[in-house]
Amino acid sequence: QVQLVESGGGLVQAGGSLILSCQISEHRFGPFAMGWFRQAPGKEREFVAAISWNGATTRLSDSVKGRFAISRDNAKSMVYLRMNDLKPEDTAVYYCGADPAGTIDYGLGREVSQYRYWGQGTQVTVSS
């Protein structure tokens, strides 16, 4: 089975930084392409960032370009989301997802439906 566990969320003041981590465990194949999505109360889950299985390709949403970065360490089975210059509109539950099909390599990877496995999420709250 594939299990994903997010960590690193918390309360931060606007302009601050956080690093989120996603631990990937109990899978027999991979590494997989991975993504970060976020969901605010009353909103749909939206794409934040994606990374190919080997880290060669990354993609960021327009709303976080220049502020966030996605990276991975396959030796540690970890994926990271570095968030700088946080804004109140970044407040959401952040979810890690796994895409065994590696759709980012086909120019995709921005849709919830393209990810097979999800973690339980970690809360990020940015105050003014």
Side-chain angles (χ1 to χ4, degrees):
Q1 59 181 298
V2 175
Q3 292 186 334
L4 311 176
V5 180
E6 303 94 337
S7 62
L11 175 64
V12 64
Q13 195 170 359
S17 299
L18 286 173
I19 299 175
L20 305 184
S21 299
C22 177
Q23 174 71 56
I24 308 155
S25 64
E26 299 184 37
H27 59 86
R28 297 292 178 267
F29 303 97
F32 303 129
M34 302 292 294
W36 286 97
F37 288 70
R38 65 189 183 186
Q39 188 166 21
K43 304 294 184 180
E44 295 183 1
R45 191 170 299 190
E46 68 171 345
F47 171 75
V48 176
I51 188 167
S52 60
W53 71 272
N54 60 357
T57 304
T58 61
R59 182 170 295 118
L60 297 171
S61 69
D62 290 340
S63 63
V64 305
K65 284 181 179 178
R67 298 188 298 122
F68 291 11
I70 187 171
S71 61
R72 68 189 304 156
D73 185 341
N74 287 344
K76 298 179 180 178
S77 297
M78 297 288 288
V79 176
Y80 306 99
L81 183 69
R82 180 178 291 104
M83 305 184 294
N84 295 325
D85 191 26
L86 283 161
K87 305 178 184 298
E89 52 262 42
D90 295 318
T91 295
V93 177
Y94 283 70
Y95 296 92
C96 179
D99 172 20
T103 61
I104 186 174
D105 290 323
Y106 302 90
L108 304 176
R110 296 184 297 270
E111 302 294 333
V112 169
S113 63
Q114 289 153 2
Y115 293 80
R116 181 177 179 181
Y117 307 104
W118 296 95
Q120 293 300 115
T122 185
Q123 176 72 47
V124 173
T125 303
V126 184
S127 62
S128 301

